[in-house]
């Protein structure tokens, strides 16, 4: 699942005009790496929410900027698993 999330995130970033050619799992989303601004992080989060049926809280954006790509996709995978476990069968 995390690979699918990563592919989605990289495709979304490409659509948002970010160069992901040198991005690895250890690349920071924030200033030390991709340098996503708060608006870009919000846009990415909304796209991920829509694609995977999860929710981020507005106050989580700051901590998201400090994550690496792998940390972010891992967090999304955990949210998907929690949402799936909590949904009625």
């Amino acid at each position: 699942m995390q690979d699918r999330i990563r592919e989605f995130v990289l495709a979304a970033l490409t659509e948002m005009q970010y160069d992901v050619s040198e991005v690895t799992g250890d690349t920071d989303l924030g200033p030390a790496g991709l340098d996503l601004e708060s608006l870009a992080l919000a846009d990415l989060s909304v796209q991920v929410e829509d694609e995977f049926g999860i929710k981020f809280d507005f106050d989580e954006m700051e901590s998201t900027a400090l994550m690496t790509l792998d940390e972010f996709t891992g967090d999304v995978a955990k949210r998907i698993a929690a949402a799936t476990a909590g949904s009625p069968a």
Side-chain angles (χ1 to χ4, degrees), residues 54 56 60 67 70-80:
I54 59 170
F56 292 99
E60 291 176 301
M67 291 182 172
D70 280 351
E71 289 169 340
F72 179 69
T73 57
D75 181 60
V76 171
K78 286 179 194 169
R79 290 170 189 263
I80 293 168

Side-chain angles (χ1 to χ4, degrees), residues 1-13:
M1 175 55 90
Q2 196 165 345
D3 287 340
R4 181 170 176 269
I5 298 165
R6 181 183 174 141
E7 288 174 21
F8 178 83
V9 168
L10 291 175
L13 290 170

Side-chain angles (χ1 to χ4, degrees), residues 1-72:
M1 175 55 90
Q2 196 165 345
D3 287 340
R4 181 170 176 269
I5 298 165
R6 181 183 174 141
E7 288 174 21
F8 178 83
V9 168
L10 291 175
L13 290 170
T14 299
E15 282 184 28
M16 295 164 59
Q17 306 300 313
Y18 283 91
D19 178 12
V20 297
S21 61
E22 309 242 345
V23 171
T24 69
D26 293 328
T27 302
D28 289 324
L29 298 179
L34 279 166
D35 200 20
L36 298 182
E37 297 174 1
S38 57
L39 185 59
L41 281 168
D43 185 12
L44 178 63
S45 296
V46 168
Q47 289 186 52
V48 169
E49 287 176 342
D50 290 346
E51 179 70 16
F52 297 104
I54 59 170
K55 276 291 193 202
F56 292 99
D57 292 329
F58 182 74
D59 58 351
E60 291 176 301
M61 290 300 124
E62 194 171 310
S63 62
T64 300
L66 302 175
M67 291 182 172
T68 64
L69 177 61
D70 280 351
E71 289 169 340
F72 179 69

